[in-house]
Amino acid sequence: MDDRLADVPPGAEPGVLADRLKERIYATITMIAVVVGLSFGEVGALGAVATVLTTALGLWLAAFVADQQAHRTVHRHLATGRELRRMLYVSSPLLSCAAGPSVLITLAALDVLTLHAALLTAAGVCVVSLFLWGCVGGLSMGGGTLAALVAGLADAAIGVAVALVKVAAGH
């Protein structure tokens, strides 16, 4: 590790932030598939929220196990201390991806909206978040507003494509 980064908190390193955002985007795309699939099923609010939460937990566990396995294989020891904190920090968005859909499903359970509407709204919010991350990335690269919009639309198109595949498959 670069000695200049020895005292920098794990969350402040650009590589860590990029890895964390990558996990969030991956989890968002996965959650689109889950909530769209649920919207076509015969599931109640309790089943839907359980599916969303276990999906997030499963994604996080899979990423954490893979990170530890890779670390153990390359470094010949389990990640501990700073390395472990980095892994946990980077992978935590895999858990937080369940927050939005869970809130919307809870609103459906409280009869504020239908479960179908809650699930499709959750998918829509996920697509919008992909668009916004694309725009921020485009602006960060200095390409201007048009480039940022194109980047945002490209990222959102991936989310829409995932949703359309689920719709076309009927689940």
Side-chain angles (χ1 to χ4, degrees), residues 55-123:
T55 297
L57 182 61
L59 284 171
W60 177 77
L61 284 171
F64 184 72
V65 167
D67 282 348
Q68 274 289 11
Q69 176 66 35
H71 188 276
R72 188 172 65 237
T73 301
V74 171
H75 299 285
R76 297 182 181 170
H77 64 86
L78 287 173
T80 58
R82 182 178 176 85
E83 298 159 329
L84 180 60
R85 285 190 306 277
R86 180 191 191 283
M87 281 181 193
L88 293 171
Y89 180 74
V90 165
S91 65
S92 65
L94 294 167
L95 292 169
S96 64
C97 73
S102 295
V103 167
L104 288 162
I105 293 167
T106 300
L107 290 175
L110 298 171
D111 289 328
V112 175
L113 67 164
T114 67
L115 181 57
H116 184 75
L119 293 168
L120 293 182
T121 300

Side-chain angles (χ1 to χ4, degrees), residues 10-55:
E13 300 168 18
V16 171
L17 295 175
D19 288 346
R20 184 176 163 87
L21 180 56
K22 175 194 65 157
E23 295 294 355
R24 179 62 187 187
I25 291 169
Y26 172 72
T28 299
I29 292 168
T30 302
M31 199 54 68
I32 291 169
V34 169
V35 296
V36 169
L38 286 169
S39 74
F40 287 98
E42 298 294 324
V43 64
L46 185 59
V49 80
T51 300
V52 164
L53 293 173
T54 56
T55 297

